[in-house]
Amino acid sequence: MQKQCLLLLAATIGLFSCGQNSNKKNGDSSNVATESIALATDPYFSKHLKGTVADAAVTMELLKSGSKEYAGWYSYDKINQPIKIWGSVDSTGNLVLHEDDAGEVPQYFEGKVDDQGTFEGTWHGDNKSFPFHLTVTKEDSTISFAVTVAADSVLLVPSWKEKSPIGRVSATVLWPAAGADAATLNFLRDSITSLDCKQVYTDPAQYAQQYVDSFKASYVMMNDTTGLSSMISEGMGMSYNWDQQTKMLVAWNSYPYLALERFIYAFTGGAHGNHSSRYQMFDLAKKKELEVTDVFKPGFEATLGNALAKAVRTKYKLKDNEPLQSVLFENKIEPNDNFFFTNRGVLFSYAPYEIAAYANGQITLFVPFSEIKDVVNAEYLPK
């Protein structure tokens, strides 16, 4: 049950990738960012930033995937509990990054980015405000990424022109560019590109473009236009306006460990779209993509399940006598295989419908290693 919805969405997205046109060279809609520290004028980037919020040291992984679109992760260095962030540039020119799971009181960064690699301003939350100052930092312990974006649209009935339903697609992919030896970078590239296609790509633009080409072909192939004209005239044609967005982000980046997120959103008709995030956790020293059974000792499930149940109660403010079913489908929670870890704990992610209703969105739960150290293999525990 836990994996059904994540696998269903992955299967749906799979229809839009690995298509026959996967070897096609990218067109003008694809662009590759070059290495620089510019945050304001670079069209796309993935940057590692260090700095402070008030007097607390923080690290941020920030992705820019469009002229005003940003997303990423950050954490306080003493705790290293990853916090998802997303946002855009507002009408005053400030970049506003909202925190996921902030609760009833919004928490967000609001400030300016510049071409000296600085993001600074004010962090707001819990009815308090603190200054922050972050700077692009190139550390020997981190992998640097180039960013490729491909986007396009296709008319379902080209002869109808502007009256036709339309399918829109975009793909933002990361390409390991520096920060490790050639063998490690090639291992990462192969692992990234073969995740959904089981096919290795050596060109990032070609890899991004295959999402676009496959979606366009599938959009036309999978939609029967019989009676479409009358449906549109009756105001029921919106479900034919499909949308797919694929976006890769860095979630954790500290040698020897690297975590990448692949966020997917798809609307293919119906009441609403669907979304999920899939994570890849790498041990770069071993050149290995880690699975749950690599990190945890045999028989870890019960201990980790109890810790996840505690995390649910904390996150949703459930009292001891309130059942988990106040939030979840069942009165228990089990670890899945969609995870990554920092040097302080492990985060598990559950797609909408996987363990709870769609309204609860993507559920992420962080468990400190200190609570589960007896079932964690020693090499992954804090030194």
Side-chain angles (χ1 to χ4, degrees), residues 171-184:
T172 301
V173 302
L174 299 180
W175 198 253
D181 59 81
T184 301

Side-chain angles (χ1 to χ4, degrees), residues 64-132:
K64 183 181 181 182
S65 58
S67 62
K68 295 184 178 181
E69 297 178 11
Y70 295 77
W73 291 84
Y74 91 99
S75 63
Y76 291 87
D77 292 354
K78 278 190 175 182
I79 305 171
N80 282 333
Q81 176 173 343
I83 302 169
K84 184 75 173 286
I85 49 177
W86 56 272
S88 61
V89 177
D90 65 18
S91 59
T92 67
N94 281 327
L95 172 57
V96 181
L97 294 176
H98 304 272
E99 296 184 11
D100 268 5
D101 302 327
E104 296 179 359
V105 179
Q107 297 182 175
Y108 59 96
F109 292 84
E110 182 179 25
K112 300 285 187 182
V113 294
D114 63 30
D115 284 344
Q116 285 68 54
T118 298
F119 176 35
E120 61 182 346
T122 304
W123 179 90
H124 304 274
D126 296 329
N127 298 314
K128 300 176 182 178
S129 297
F130 300 104
F132 73 85

Side-chain angles (χ1 to χ4, degrees), residues 16 166-168 215 219 222-223 239-243 267-269:
F16 304 144
I166 190 169
R168 293 184 173 87
F215 170 85
Y219 173 64
M222 295 178 64
N223 279 298
S239 64
Y240 286 86
N241 291 322
W242 287 16
D243 186 21
F267 175 77
T268 55

Side-chain angles (χ1 to χ4, degrees), residues 101 275 315-316 325-329 350-353 355-364:
D101 302 327
H275 64 280
K315 182 170 187 172
Y316 294 99
Q325 279 181 294
S326 301
V327 176
L328 309 181
F329 289 143
Y350 300 86
Y353 293 128
I355 59 172
Y358 180 85
N360 287 297
Q362 184 100 1
I363 294 177
T364 57

Side-chain angles (χ1 to χ4, degrees), residues 130-195:
F130 300 104
F132 73 85
H133 180 94
L134 298 166
T135 303
V136 172
T137 305
K138 296 180 181 179
E139 298 181 293
D140 293 338
S141 62
T142 61
I143 301 296
S144 297
F145 293 88
V147 179
T148 301
V149 177
D152 207 347
S153 61
V154 58
L155 297 178
L156 183 57
V157 187
S159 61
W160 291 2
K161 299 182 179 179
E162 69 274 4
K163 294 183 180 180
S164 171
I166 190 169
R168 293 184 173 87
V169 56
S170 67
T172 301
V173 302
L174 299 180
W175 198 253
D181 59 81
T184 301
L185 294 177
N186 285 330
F187 155 72
L188 281 173
R189 292 164 187 161
D190 292 351
S191 299
I192 288 168
T193 63
S194 64
L195 176 64

Side-chain angles (χ1 to χ4, degrees), residues 2-29:
Q2 289 187 351
K3 298 182 181 178
Q4 284 181 343
C5 294
L6 184 60
L7 293 175
L8 178 60
L9 180 56
T12 302
I13 298 301
L15 295 171
F16 304 144
S17 59
C18 315
Q20 295 179 348
N21 294 327
S22 60
N23 292 321
K24 179 181 176 181
K25 295 296 183 182
N26 65 301
D28 293 337
S29 60

